[in-house]
Amino acid sequence: MQKIRNIAIIAHVDHGKTTTVDKILHSCQTFRENHEAGELILDNNDLERERGITIVSKNVAVQYKDVKINLIDTPGHADFGGEVERVLKMADGVLLLCDAFEGAMPQTRFVTQKALSLGLKPIVVVNKVDKENCRPDEVYEQIFDLFFNLGATEEQLEFPVIYGSSKNGWMSTDWQKPTDNFFPLLDTILEHIQPAPYNEGTLQMQITSLDYSSFVGRIAIGRVARGTIKENQPISLVKRDGSVVKSRVKELYTFEGLGKIKVSEVKSGDICAVVGIDGFDIGDTIADFEKPEQLEVISIDEPTMNMLFTINNSPFFGKEGKFVTSQKLRERLYKELEKNLALRVVETEQPDAYLVYGRGILHLSVLIETMRREGYELQVGQPQVIVKQIDGKKCEPIEVLTVDVPGDVSGKVIELVTQRKGELLIMEPKGDLQHLEFEIPARGIIGLRNNILTATGGEAIMAHRFKDYEPWKGTIPGRSAGVLISMEKGQTTAYSIDKLQDRGRFFVDPGVDVYEGQIVGEHIRDNDLVVNLVKGKQLTNMRASGSDDNVRIAPAIKFSLEECMEYIQADEYIEVTPQSIRLRKIYLTENERKVNAKRFVTE
């Protein structure tokens, strides 16, 4: 029996997954006494730290009681499901983390279903039991019901439960008896998770994740399923389509702490990183040189949404970005395909525009935000859901939407969701909140979050997961208000914004450069209005003292990238540059917009 345990950690966004891994690393004294590690060690890119979510799966390994525990941190958001599905292949068990108040959320359900179907043994950790009005016992019951509904085996239903507070650094088998360390959790992992088995035979290893180094190029990461892999060993790479490419392992690494250490061989059951193999993709099998045998190919759920990516052709083109040509855009999108399994890129009739398919708005916005930070300038169109023909019927993706809101505003939420063809399925109290569950077309969710947060004073907690394709639900009303469009290129003035404040709310402050066709605000009516924000005050020599000082302008509304994606309509683009996010009409002059108006009349 090998002294190795492989365990994946799954949880909903913000239930304390990354903090738990931090504390396990500290408990096993992975760091030197004088080493300042900080917090959220695994969320190592800026986007993950800012949003507080895990986007890319990471591997770390710790030593506890002479046993090596490989920990795999997985994303919690359903939009990154492609990342989760393949990573679970490396694990023998899962640690399911739940918030002691919120309980199991829809996206936890999504990942748990994948884990249970692979036959992994679960350990449940009820986290944040130090919070006010937490309900650990109810959450335990809820998770048992969830496992039962997902078709867990009897062995999986006999799961151990640990209670604790990752933030305060303790875990215990009884939530009313806190300890002062994390050892009860680590002991439970050793006791309940099977040691990684050693399978005799010829080499088999599936590539489930990849890393990149500027020195050695792409690095294949996976778990050795059978046999032993050695340094300098000749191997066969079996591609997804069954074709075989001969290659050689140059270097081998296993994980230790937060880093990797070089080794000469890795036996089956352990997770390793392989350097020196060219042209591999995720899902390929590294097999024996003479008798290659392929492992089952990883199947990934289909994308549900697409967006048009095109080069920036606005009047401010090239002012801020380093990469602005269609060739650079194309190279970057195809490079993303190598590691982002759930993404698809399709070329369009226009040479400088690409349709990018993804799992949801967050999935696509993370890609756009990453490109923007790398120095790319681009424009993106309105997100569109993918429609399929099933048995001769037009079908669209349907999502299960859950909203937790204070009871006095639940009526507003139900009204907003039903306007978008949502159907209320469940309405029940949850602590001091109302828990609502709907079935709603994926189209209806685009733009819904903003409206619900506005209607509930920011108190709604929303989550949704993909259910299935169902027949088309009919027309959904879009944005109710029109927009204010700039008439001229120039710098906005406080004088003209002040004079137009009764026409709507503005997205720009005084002294900002705008161009003709740029969307500068929201109109109070449902039609678009062209306004001149560049006009200054006519100076005369007659002047009342102090009359210029009392210009009072409401602060401009600033949208995040996701909010922009939910806000725009079919005839609008978001212009994304390293320093700015602007909204604009596709056709900048009023004349062009009138000529092409019929193109954008949707159902």
Side-chain angles (χ1 to χ4, degrees), residues 26 42 79 104 150 225 250 361 429 447 452 470 482 491 494 538 562:
H26 285 292
L42 288 192
D79 279 20
L150 293 176
K250 284 187 187 160
I361 282 194
I452 284 185
E470 290 184 10
Q491 210 170 58
Q538 294 299 316
E562 275 109 44

Side-chain angles (χ1 to χ4, degrees), residues 343-364:
L343 206 72
R344 307 261 188 288
V345 177
V346 176
E347 301 195 10
T348 64
E349 294 164 4
Q350 300 162 279
D352 51 10
Y354 302 89
L355 270 179
V356 179
Y357 291 76
R359 290 286 274 270
I361 282 194
L362 186 66
H363 185 203
L364 293 166

